[in-house]
Amino acid sequence: MPLKEYREKRDFKRSPEPRGEERPGARRRTKGRTRFFCVQKHLATQLHYDFRLEHNGVLLSWAVPKGPSLDSSVKRLAMHVEDHPIDYGTFEGVIPEGYGAGIVMLWDHGTWEPQVDDIDAAIEKGDLKFTLDGYKLKGSWVLVRTRGTPGGGGAGGPAPSQSWLLIKHRDDWSGPLDISTFAPNSVKSGGGFRDILSQEAPDVWLSNRGNSSSASIQTLRRLIERVEKLEPLTEPEEATEKQTPGTTRSARTSTPQRKARKP
Ligand code: MN
């Protein structure tokens, strides 16, 4: 049961994440049609990017702390995590508490093609070459498992390492562009974390006050603070101000944030 670990970690009465349906025919249906991939930008305890490849009815998943890089000389750490349901691939929203509490943004999606004959064997071996056809990520990539921690194994030999590297191959789609900064927003809703949060929790977002001490309200308040740091508001009239030396700092750090909190 590939989604067992996914479900055990989550309380679906408290999380808006999809429980995921079993798809008994998925293994066969994968053949001859395109495979889905997505990257979800996840503002949790730490900001990271969840890289997911559809395979055998689930999404194989890696958490990439710094996100994918288009620079072929850059190797990005990618921690192999539990399989996610296919439905998760369109999920975007606020997880108010519990496992993964924070904001999930659908940062990229599209299709992927393995560049190997046997995906399972490639995963087992720790070397999966593939191509992506998304909005932001395209071309040839590889996920390669790093060697296990020395001395980390038991009598049966070292357990396979959970840490992999996500690397872009040199091609027409590689280059020095910092894609996470250049294209920070959602491919689903078009906006940033700020927009997802304000849609999901408008009351807390707008007032940022109230007497509730529930865990989720506390989490939301902390999220608001983090989003305001990560995605500072810039307003059209300040774009001209910014060209005048000396006004940039005050315009960016005080005014927009206070405006955003007004009910
Ligand atoms: Mn995550």
Side-chain angles (χ1 to χ4, degrees):
M1 202 208 238
L3 296 176
K4 189 169 179 278
E5 188 182 346
Y6 171 83
R7 289 183 182 135
E8 279 172 358
K9 285 182 171 175
R10 291 165 174 83
D11 178 355
F12 296 102
K13 290 195 189 82
R14 289 163 191 268
S15 171
E17 295 168 294
R19 193 171 186 283
E21 301 305 318
E22 293 298 335
R23 302 203 175 175
R27 181 181 280 264
R28 260 174 292 122
R29 284 205 303 267
T30 302
K31 221 165 193 179
R33 67 168 177 87
T34 56
R35 296 170 175 85
F36 172 86
F37 96 94
C38 73
V39 181
Q40 278 151 326
K41 191 172 164 184
H42 187 181
L43 185 65
T45 310
Q46 263 158 8
L47 177 69
H48 60 272
Y49 293 73
D50 290 302
F51 183 80
R52 311 192 196 280
L53 300 173
E54 178 190 356
H55 176 55
N56 280 351
V58 295
L59 297 175
L60 307 175
S61 296
W62 287 262
V64 186
K66 291 186 177 175
S69 171
L70 302 187
D71 184 336
S72 60
S73 69
V74 172
K75 301 173 169 69
R76 286 283 157 88
L77 177 67
M79 296 305 294
H80 197 185
V81 297
E82 77 275 14
D83 295 344
H84 278 51
I86 297 287
D87 308 3
Y88 206 95
T90 53
F91 174 71
E92 186 168 271
V94 176
I95 305 168
E97 58 184 279
Y99 185 78
I103 312 171
V104 176
M105 174 206 289
L106 189 60
W107 183 76
D108 198 13
H109 65 175
T111 58
W112 78 283
E113 278 292 328
Q115 300 298 296
V116 294
D117 291 333
D118 186 335
I119 296 169
D120 292 308
I123 299 276
E124 177 89 24
K125 193 179 155 210
D127 186 347
L128 177 63
K129 294 182 177 67
F130 54 92
T131 56
L132 298 178
D133 188 10
Y135 284 96
K136 301 175 187 178
L137 307 182
K138 290 176 185 291
S140 179
W141 297 74
V142 64
L143 269 164
V144 58
R145 193 195 286 122
T146 65
R147 267 175 282 169
T149 321
S161 165
Q162 296 302 105
S163 66
W164 296 57
L165 298 170
L166 176 64
I167 308 163
K168 179 82 193 78
H169 284 143
R170 246 171 99 143
D171 61 14
D172 288 349
W173 305 104
S174 63
L177 179 72
D178 179 355
I179 190 68
S180 56
T181 306
F182 179 76
N185 287 346
S186 168
V187 290
K188 184 178 181 181
S189 53
F193 283 131
R194 180 181 292 274
D195 303 281
I196 297 168
L197 193 53
S198 60
Q199 277 158 28
E200 297 269 326
D203 296 344
V204 180
W205 175 263
L206 290 172
S207 67
N208 196 19
R209 58 169 188 246
N211 300 318
S212 174
S213 61
S214 82
S216 49
I217 297 290
Q218 297 296 330
T219 305
L220 286 171
R221 286 220 190 91
R222 279 196 296 272
L223 278 173
I224 289 167
E225 284 170 21
R226 292 176 67 197
V227 167
E228 285 183 345
K229 280 198 191 104
L230 201 66
E231 297 176 352
L233 270 187
T234 47
E235 293 176 7
E237 66 267 23
E238 281 153 15
T240 42
E241 267 185 83
K242 254 189 273 175
Q243 290 163 4
T244 317
T247 60
T248 310
R249 181 173 293 270
S250 62
R252 283 180 67 90
T253 53
S254 56
T255 323
Q257 293 191 9
R258 265 190 227 121
K259 272 183 191 164
R261 280 182 190 164
K262 249 180 222 166

